[in-house]
Amino acid sequence: MTAWRRDGLSVALVPTMGALHEGHLTLMRLARREADRVVASIFVNPAQFGPGEDFERYPRTEAADVAKLASAGVEAAFAPSPREMYPEGFATRVHIDRLGDVLCGAHRPGHFDGMALIVVKLLLSALPDVAIFGEKDYQQLQIIRRFTADLNIPVRILGGPIEREADGLALSSRNRYLTPEQRRVAVTLPDALRAARDAVRAGGDPAAASAKARDAILAAGFDSVDYVEIRDPATLDLVTAPGRPARVFGAARLGGTRLIDNWAV
Ligand code: AMP
């Protein structure tokens, strides 16, 4: 990467946790268009998993991932070990107020601090011109925009669109946890959030639309709903009246699997 920079080539970084699917590869292709060289990282970051979450069982498919990256024209893959990223004596944390406290932040304590920590480390290791993240994790994307600006990290942050299955379920490495029956239920999450989006677009009350979506998700067979909320796309403040810029966010649990999704209003 140092040599690329010396030669005046621009670099794009696409961080991932591996178990790559078409959503990740869309980001790689976007990166391809944005820079001369593309680097992908593969790291299941222990710091962003809470106790009882799926760190141990998170799918690890490194050989297949590297092959997919090569066929997407990615020039370099960086797959460090936890020890390399968090050596003995590591003591630093990164915390993001407000943006990190709502939505997933309220349900996964410490998750965004752990995510921000690794993204800061990856950005400062690779020093890319541009770094690309999916809108699938929209809150994460906004948090990354915030801390890179706050910390003067010289990188352009770019969001990529959500890739979905034919029925609308957002692609996710965690979808492979679902049984065939759960997979049939799972599509209710994007369906219900999209219905809420349509209701708010048509001038409906955001709180009523959120409540209706929550009911539909539970009625379809999800075990619990962490949140369905309509929030400002930049500040992530709750939107309480129709006609404002807004995005519908949802997270729900099906067996041991937690799924998230969002739609722009
Ligand atoms: P992950 O490996 O799940 O941490 O995701 C790595 C990057 O890929 C993140 O920026 C995600 O937002 C993005 N990503 C994951 N799933 C999708 C999807 N279905 N569509 C677009 N981007 C995605």
Side-chain angles (χ1 to χ4, degrees):
M1 277 172 268
T2 315
W4 292 338
R5 270 196 302 277
R6 196 183 49 226
D7 294 342
L9 298 171
S10 60
V11 176
L13 173 69
V14 187
T16 81
M17 298 204 298
L20 299 182
H21 50 64
E22 207 43 46
H24 297 113
L25 297 180
T26 298
L27 301 185
M28 304 300 160
R29 288 189 282 268
L30 184 56
R32 201 38 319 137
R33 294 200 295 275
E34 292 290 324
D36 300 313
R37 296 288 180 270
V38 179
V39 183
S41 61
I42 299 174
F43 184 59
V44 185
N45 173 33
Q48 71 189 66
F49 288 79
E53 291 190 349
D54 56 344
F55 175 71
E56 300 296 343
R57 72 164 178 149
Y58 197 85
R60 287 161 172 87
T61 60
E62 198 174 308
D65 291 346
V66 169
K68 286 180 188 170
L69 292 175
S71 59
V74 171
E75 276 87 7
F78 176 52
S81 67
R83 256 279 168 271
E84 270 175 86
M85 295 315 273
Y86 303 113
E88 192 67 40
F90 193 95
T92 300
R93 287 170 195 274
V94 179
H95 177 74
I96 297 88
D97 281 334
R98 295 186 299 280
L99 283 180
D101 295 334
V102 299
L103 298 171
C104 287
H107 293 271
R108 300 185 67 189
H111 166 68
F112 286 123
D113 291 4
M115 178 281 292
L117 181 60
I118 197 65
V119 173
V120 168
K121 285 173 65 75
L122 292 170
L123 291 174
L124 296 181
S125 307
L127 290 174
D129 298 274
V130 57
I132 301 183
F133 300 88
E135 289 184 344
K136 163 81 180 355
D137 301 277
Y138 188 89
Q139 183 178 16
Q140 165 174 288
L141 173 62
Q142 291 309 101
I143 288 172
I144 292 167
R145 292 191 202 281
R146 180 78 260 155
F147 71 71
T148 51
D150 289 353
L151 299 177
N152 306 101
I153 300 177
V155 63
R156 185 160 62 92
I157 302 299
L158 199 62
I162 304 176
E163 285 294 321
R164 298 178 179 280
E165 302 278 8
D167 67 353
L169 181 67
L171 297 182
S172 164
S173 306
R174 291 189 167 98
N175 291 350
R176 68 181 71 194
Y177 298 150
L178 301 172
T179 64
E181 173 53 24
Q182 289 171 336
R183 173 63 186 79
R184 280 190 286 278
V185 172
V187 72
T188 321
L189 178 65
D191 282 351
L193 300 181
R194 196 176 40 216
R197 175 201 71 181
D198 292 344
V200 173
R201 260 191 198 164
D205 171 50
S210 303
K212 193 171 171 201
R214 174 186 286 265
D215 290 347
I217 293 164
L218 288 172
F222 272 85
D223 296 295
S224 60
V225 173
D226 279 2
Y227 58 80
V228 174
E229 288 175 352
I230 299 177
R231 289 183 174 263
D232 181 282
T235 62
L236 301 186
D237 291 341
L238 266 180
V239 170
T240 51
R244 294 269 163 68
R247 209 161 174 110
V248 181
F249 297 91
R253 296 176 192 259
L254 189 49
T257 306
R258 184 175 183 278
L259 298 177
I260 64 171
D261 205 342
N262 67 89
W263 291 95
V265 171

